[in-house]
Amino acid sequence: MLREFKRPRKLMGNAFEITVVSDDENAAYGHIEDAIDEIRRIEKLLTTYNEESQTNLINRNAGIQPVKVDWEIFGLIERSLRISNITNGYFDISYGGIDKSFWNFDREMKELPDPKQIKDHLKLVNYQHIMLDRENQTVFLKEKGMRIGFGGIGKGYAAEMAKRILLERGVNSGIVNASGDLTTWGNQANGKPWTVGIADPDNAGQPFSYMNITDMAVATSGNYEKFVVINGKKYSHTINPKTGMPVSGVKSVTVFCPNAEIADAMATPVSIMGVEAALNMVNQINHLECIIIDDHDTIYSSQNINLKY
C-alpha cells in the first residue's frame, strides 16, 4: 500500500523536509538519505562559511584573478546572471558585500546602518562585474572587495537537485521542502494532487488560501519570519541590491513555476521591484505566476492564478 514517508533535517542553515510516496518503508528512507546527502554536497559547494569552498575562492580572488570552478558552479552563476538580466538587476548574487556587514536580523539591531557607508559598499554590487569565461571555465569578480553569495537561489537549486536524485531512484511522487521553498511531483499516496497553503503573513501558522499543485515549485518570500523593527517601522530581511536597504511595503510574495531554482530566485525581485512592475514582469514570462500581499493586506496575483479561499 502506498504511504508517505518524511524526514526533517537542518541543512544549509534551513529546515528541510523530504517526503516520498512509496510502498516500501526501508527503500523510502534510503532514498530520502540519498537526497539529504545530495543537499549536503551542494551546501559544501556553495557555502561562504568554509574557507575551502569554490565560492570563497572566487570571493578571495576578487579584483585579483579569475578562478577555475566546477561546471556546476559555473552553470549556476551563468543562470543567476540570466535572472539578473531579466529582473533588471533586482536579483543580484553580488549583494554579498552589503548583506553580511550591515544587516543582522537577530533582533539586536536598534538603528539603521549609516547610508553613506551603504552607498560606498553598493559600488561593489553589480552583476555585470561578474566575468565568466566559458572556454577556461573561470569566474572573475572585477572589483576588489566584491563578494558573491547564493542565498537567493541556493535553496531552490538544492531542492531541484534532491528531486532529481529521487526521480533517478524511481520515486514517482514526493516533495522537497526547503524551509517553505518547495518542489512537488506526482500525487499524494491517496492519488490526489499535493495541496499547498499560502501563508497568511499576519498569522504564519494559518494559510489564507490553498492551491492544488503537482510538478510545480513554490517559493515564498515574506517579512513575517525574519525582520527588525526600528523606530516603529518593520524592515524585512530581503535587501534591495540597488539601495542596500531592506524592503518595505510588501508583506509576502509567493512564486509558482515548474523549477524550484527559478521560483526561489524570482521571489526576491518580485518582492523588491514594486507590485505593478513585478506583475508586469511575471505576466510576460511563461510558466511563472505569483501572489503578492502588500502592507495593507491587498492581494494581487498574476494573470493565471486561481485562488481558493
Side-chain angles (χ1 to χ4, degrees):
M1 194 179 100
L2 285 179
R3 282 165 52 209
E4 281 154 34
F5 301 94
K6 55 178 70 174
R7 191 156 274 176
R9 271 282 189 286
K10 183 101 194 263
L11 298 157
M12 301 177 84
N14 286 282
F16 273 71
E17 186 176 66
I18 296 170
T19 306
V20 304
V21 175
S22 175
D23 55 8
D24 178 341
E25 182 172 357
N26 285 342
Y29 284 123
H31 295 326
I32 289 174
E33 286 306 322
D34 288 344
I36 288 169
D37 288 344
E38 173 68 351
I39 295 166
R40 287 206 179 106
R41 182 189 71 76
I42 289 164
E43 180 171 18
K44 277 203 190 84
L45 202 65
L46 303 186
T47 182
T48 48
Y49 294 112
N50 173 358
E51 287 300 303
E52 303 305 300
S53 82
Q54 294 191 3
T55 312
N56 244 345
L57 210 56
I58 294 168
N59 290 342
R60 281 211 305 274
N61 284 284
I64 302 167
Q65 62 184 10
V67 173
K68 192 171 165 75
V69 295
D70 295 350
W71 276 121
E72 186 171 7
I73 289 256
F74 191 93
L76 186 59
I77 294 173
E78 201 168 45
R79 295 193 300 279
S80 297
L81 296 184
R82 218 172 288 151
I83 292 168
S84 296
N85 272 321
I86 292 168
T87 60
N88 197 6
Y90 281 107
F91 175 84
D92 193 331
I93 57 169
S94 70
Y95 72 89
I98 303 180
D99 201 17
K100 293 280 176 285
S101 42
F102 294 114
W103 295 102
N104 184 4
F105 290 89
D106 59 5
R107 314 290 157 92
E108 291 300 303
M109 284 184 66
K110 296 285 181 275
E111 53 186 6
L112 294 173
D114 172 6
K116 190 192 169 307
Q117 274 188 302
I118 286 190
K119 216 172 155 193
D120 289 346
H121 274 248
L122 268 181
K123 296 178 188 137
L124 298 174
V125 179
N126 185 346
Y127 70 95
Q128 289 166 328
H129 289 168
I130 301 172
M131 301 296 153
L132 294 182
D133 178 342
R134 249 187 174 281
E135 209 161 288
N136 296 309
Q137 210 177 313
T138 60
V139 183
F140 178 50
L141 308 181
K142 243 168 128 173
E143 307 292 329
K144 226 175 168 39
M146 263 182 92
R147 287 173 61 90
I148 59 168
F150 296 103
I153 196 170
K155 274 193 318 189
Y157 174 63
E160 206 52 50
M161 293 298 279
K163 170 186 168 181
R164 197 165 107 181
I165 290 279
L166 292 167
L167 284 168
E168 282 168 7
R169 302 280 188 281
V171 175
N172 295 324
S173 300
I175 300 179
V176 179
N177 184 344
S179 190
D181 293 353
L182 51 95
T183 181
T184 66
W185 68 102
N187 290 313
Q188 298 179 63
N190 62 13
K192 292 185 173 151
W194 299 106
T195 304
V196 293
I198 312 298
D200 176 343
D202 294 325
N203 189 351
Q206 287 294 317
F208 79 85
S209 170
Y210 291 93
M211 289 184 81
N212 288 337
I213 58 169
T214 183
D215 301 317
M216 185 62 71
V218 183
T220 304
S221 175
N223 69 7
Y224 50 89
E225 278 174 349
K226 271 194 211 159
F227 58 88
V228 285
V229 177
I230 296 170
N231 301 331
K233 188 173 178 185
K234 197 171 180 178
Y235 292 93
S236 141
H237 72 288
T238 306
I239 306 289
N240 182 338
K242 294 183 184 241
T243 62
M245 293 294 285
V247 179
S248 55
V250 167
K251 274 186 184 171
S252 95
V253 162
T254 307
V255 172
F256 303 85
C257 93
N259 179 293
E261 179 189 311
I262 294 171
D264 188 10
M266 284 309 229
T268 307
V270 167
S271 61
I272 297 172
M273 62 200 316
V275 174
E276 206 175 318
L279 289 174
N280 201 0
M281 174 186 76
V282 170
N283 285 334
Q284 290 176 53
I285 299 173
N286 280 339
H287 312 300
L288 187 70
E289 302 296 337
C290 73
I291 298 168
I292 302 171
I293 305 175
D294 72 9
D295 276 353
H296 307 293
D297 291 326
T298 310
I299 298 168
Y300 303 87
S301 65
S302 56
Q303 281 160 354
N304 302 317
I305 289 266
N306 196 348
L307 282 178
K308 298 186 181 72
Y309 292 97

